[in-house]
Amino acid sequence: MASAAPTLTRTETDSLGSMEIPADAYWGIHTARADANFPITKRPISVYPDLVRALAMVKQASARANREIGVLDPERADLIDRAAQRVIDGEFHDQFTVGVIQGGAGTSTNMNANEVITNIALEMAGREKGDYAFLSPIDHTNRSQSTNDVYPTAVKIGLSLTLRSLLEELDLLRRSFLGKAVEFHDILKVGRTQLQDAVPMTLGQEFHGFATTLGEDHSRISENASLMFEINMGATAIGTGITTHVDYAPAVLKHLREITSLDLETATDLVESTSDTGAFMSFSSTLKRNAIKLSKICNDLRLLASGPQAGFGEINLPAMQAGSSIMPGKVNPVIPEVVNQVAFAVVGADMTVTMAVEGGQLQLNAFEPVIAHSIFQSITWMRQAMWTLRVNCIDGITANRDRLGAMVGASVGVITALTPFIGYAAAAALAKTALLTNRNVADLVVEAGLMSRDEVMKQLSPARLSGLEAVTAAIPIISPEDLIEI
């Protein structure tokens, strides 16, 4: 039996010794050591493509800045620039193999980027991978840089890029709820407080409220996104700028702004910016707020659709899969349920970020990898959760008009609308009588001689009950035209 062909390798050396690296790998010895040291999550950094792109953007901007200020010759700077662009364009992402959770404050991620981009550049120059005497991952690709400014800057840029798709999906979800608000604008229902019958409203108003709260979250997340725009490039190890040219920081900022199209700014205190990770905590808490509010909406949807016979049964969620292996015909609200679970994970991720921020010591926070992973995961999962909620649930919701109408007709809560005319005490007494005797509230008010039939029916009209037609200035007017506004 013929033996397998030997695997071709190249020898690379670092301060710890030498290792054999697969000849076709674009990564090198630093990445190989990290792969051996951190087999924790089995999830490489390439699961977050925008982080990989952001790393390449930082390397590209640094190459251009180093060439501009004269600390890197044009040939090498151009090779690094062009190699980084290929990564930005989506090539070689499979070569970013280090785990998302790693020790070393992100050094393994930074070196993974340095090695891959360097070896791409060497190949483009017609040289062998690993020919670091000509182009070095550290002396050239990492020139004027440290992990401690590259990594947090790349994380902030990557999060900013990823956030765009989240905000787009959040707005689409908001619009989906608005569409249902318009569709349901004339359907009267019983409102509830503390799970007890309250006063009437329209189903459209309920869905409009969902849309409004999501719109508020869109604004809050957008505002907090600006926290990601302060970077510390030029800080190098601890913020003192050691090994950098005095002109490097403004030069790399200029090129990063051009490459990313983000309104980036260099921190005024690089020592503080290198050690402080509070911006990540604030940003994460905003994501948690959105997740919690979205989860609350899903709780409401599950309640409103509960039944179909022994629950609220006010709306119908699209049937997406069989709900039981033992109960025939059972259908569960699986889409809101999965969104609930994503929200729980986001809350946990936010706690992880909080503890990691607190765990920083002196001039550096060593725990930025778990901060980055936690926030990237939250954004990614929330975006997908919003998509499935919109496409597989909200867009297909229908209303049980007859059931809603019957519940409003039997509701004692409508007497609240008559309190300005008959007084609270009389209204309370008649409500109690209606509950005990199962009588109609309107009939009891007329029989008591408190209002005429016409007056009662006018005040108990759907428009008055839901606030669509104002009785006093204190009642907001919500019309179908208002609901359509985006």
Side-chain angles (χ1 to χ4, degrees):
M1 181 177 179
S3 60
T7 302
L8 298 178
T9 63
R10 65 177 188 266
T11 303
E12 291 196 14
T13 302
D14 64 4
S15 60
L16 299 182
S18 298
M19 290 182 68
E20 294 302 304
I21 304 299
D24 60 351
Y26 289 87
W27 43 264
I29 188 170
H30 293 89
T31 302
R33 292 197 191 281
D35 287 341
N37 289 335
F38 312 124
I40 310 300
T41 64
K42 302 299 183 181
R43 299 179 69 188
I45 58 174
S46 58
V47 299
Y48 303 125
D50 284 328
L51 175 58
V52 174
R53 291 177 59 220
L55 286 161
M57 289 175 174
V58 171
K59 298 302 172 181
Q60 184 178 62
S62 293
R64 293 179 183 181
N66 285 327
R67 174 177 180 170
E68 180 180 314
I69 64 178
V71 301
L72 191 61
D73 64 273
E75 180 186 7
R76 289 184 174 88
D78 181 63
L79 283 169
I80 295 169
D81 189 335
R82 291 191 289 127
Q85 186 61 52
R86 294 181 68 180
V87 176
I88 294 170
D89 292 339
E91 297 184 65
F92 304 103
H93 282 214
D94 63 329
Q95 298 296 306
F96 288 78
T97 61
V98 298
V100 291
I101 304 297
Q102 57 194 252
T107 296
S108 298
T109 293
N110 184 37
M111 285 307 304
N112 195 167
N114 286 331
E115 290 173 337
V116 171
I117 290 172
T118 297
N119 282 309
I120 295 170
L122 284 169
E123 191 173 67
M124 292 170 66
R127 295 176 175 269
E128 295 293 326
K129 299 183 187 71
D131 186 4
Y132 299 149
F134 174 75
L135 186 66
S136 165
I138 295 177
D139 292 333
H140 301 122
T141 305
N142 199 61
R143 185 66 182 267
S144 304
Q145 304 154 62
S146 163
T147 292
N148 302 346
D149 54 6
V150 167
Y151 188 77
T153 297
V155 169
K156 288 179 177 180
I157 291 171
L159 288 174
S160 298
L161 298 175
T162 298
L163 188 63
R164 292 172 178 171
S165 59
L166 174 69
L167 290 172
E168 290 170 359
E169 192 56 57
L170 177 56
D171 190 56
L172 289 172
L173 181 60
R174 180 183 70 91
R175 290 170 181 266
S176 181
F177 276 109
L178 278 173
K180 289 298 170 181
V182 173
E183 180 182 343
F184 301 150
H185 79 273
D186 61 341
I187 303 177
L188 209 60
K189 60 161 287 178
V190 177
R192 297 179 181 85
T193 57
Q194 295 154 283
L195 290 179
Q196 304 300 302
D197 297 347
V199 297
M201 63 186 302
T202 67
L203 189 60
Q205 288 172 318
E206 194 162 30
F207 275 75
H208 190 273
F210 296 152
T212 298
T213 199
L214 294 179
E216 292 174 350
D217 278 354
H218 191 286
S219 297
R220 298 295 84 75
I221 294 174
S222 298
E223 291 168 3
N224 274 277
S226 63
L227 295 171
M228 298 297 103
F229 295 165
E230 183 184 271
I231 63 172
N232 69 329
M233 290 302 293
T236 61
I238 64 171
T240 61
I242 191 170
T243 74
T244 62
H245 189 282
V246 66
D247 295 328
Y248 172 76
V252 75
L253 174 66
K254 178 187 71 174
H255 290 294
L256 264 179
R257 288 170 65 100
E258 292 172 352
I259 292 165
T260 64
S261 299
L262 297 173
D263 191 20
L264 304 173
E265 292 291 344
T266 301
T268 56
D269 187 332
L270 291 177
V271 171
E272 183 277 339
S273 182
T274 303
S275 63
D276 178 60
T277 50
F280 292 122
M281 184 168 61
S282 296
F283 183 70
S284 176
S285 69
T286 307
L287 296 176
K288 180 182 72 172
R289 164 189 158 132
N290 181 218
I292 290 298
K293 292 170 68 175
L294 193 59
S295 187
K296 188 271 181 187
I297 290 172
C298 287
N299 293 341
D300 288 351
L301 294 176
R302 290 190 293 111
L303 274 175
L304 294 176
S306 60
Q309 294 173 302
F312 284 14
E314 295 187 359
I315 61 174
N316 305 301
L317 306 184
M320 301 307 297
Q321 66 183 56
S324 175
S325 60
I326 189 173
M327 293 175 281
K330 190 172 188 289
V331 178
N332 295 327
V334 295
I335 302 302
E337 286 174 351
V338 78
V339 177
N340 285 134
Q341 292 173 78
V342 168
F344 307 156
V346 171
V347 173
D350 180 65
M351 178 56 72
T352 298
V353 171
T354 301
M355 296 308 298
V357 169
E358 187 276 337
Q361 297 168 317
L362 303 178
Q363 277 67 62
L364 183 68
N365 190 310
F367 309 119
E368 288 185 10
V370 77
I371 292 174
H373 166 58
S374 298
I375 300 178
F376 272 110
Q377 176 179 279
S378 291
I379 293 177
T380 303
W381 288 14
M382 284 174 64
R383 180 182 64 232
Q384 294 304 109
M386 290 176 190
W387 178 87
T388 197
L389 181 63
R390 172 174 59 87
V391 173
N392 293 319
C393 183
I394 307 305
D395 287 346
I397 289 176
T398 58
N400 289 325
R401 290 176 176 263
D402 292 343
R403 181 173 176 84
L404 288 163
M407 285 193 286
V408 171
S411 173
V412 174
V414 297
I415 202 168
T416 301
L418 305 181
T419 56
F421 308 95
I422 66 175
Y424 185 90
L430 291 175
K432 183 177 181 180
T433 300
L435 287 171
L436 291 173
T437 63
N438 202 29
R439 295 281 307 281
N440 182 279
V441 164
D443 292 340
L444 292 175
V445 171
V446 174
E447 290 175 10
L450 298 174
M451 297 178 68
S452 69
R453 176 69 63 178
D454 289 343
E455 289 173 331
V456 169
M457 299 316 296
K458 178 180 179 181
Q459 299 307 324
L460 296 186
S461 69
R464 291 281 177 99
L465 288 175
S466 62
L468 294 176
E469 178 182 299
V471 179
T472 69
I475 300 178
I477 301 173
I478 302 177
S479 67
E481 290 74 23
D482 294 326
L483 298 179
I484 296 173
E485 291 182 4
I486 303 299

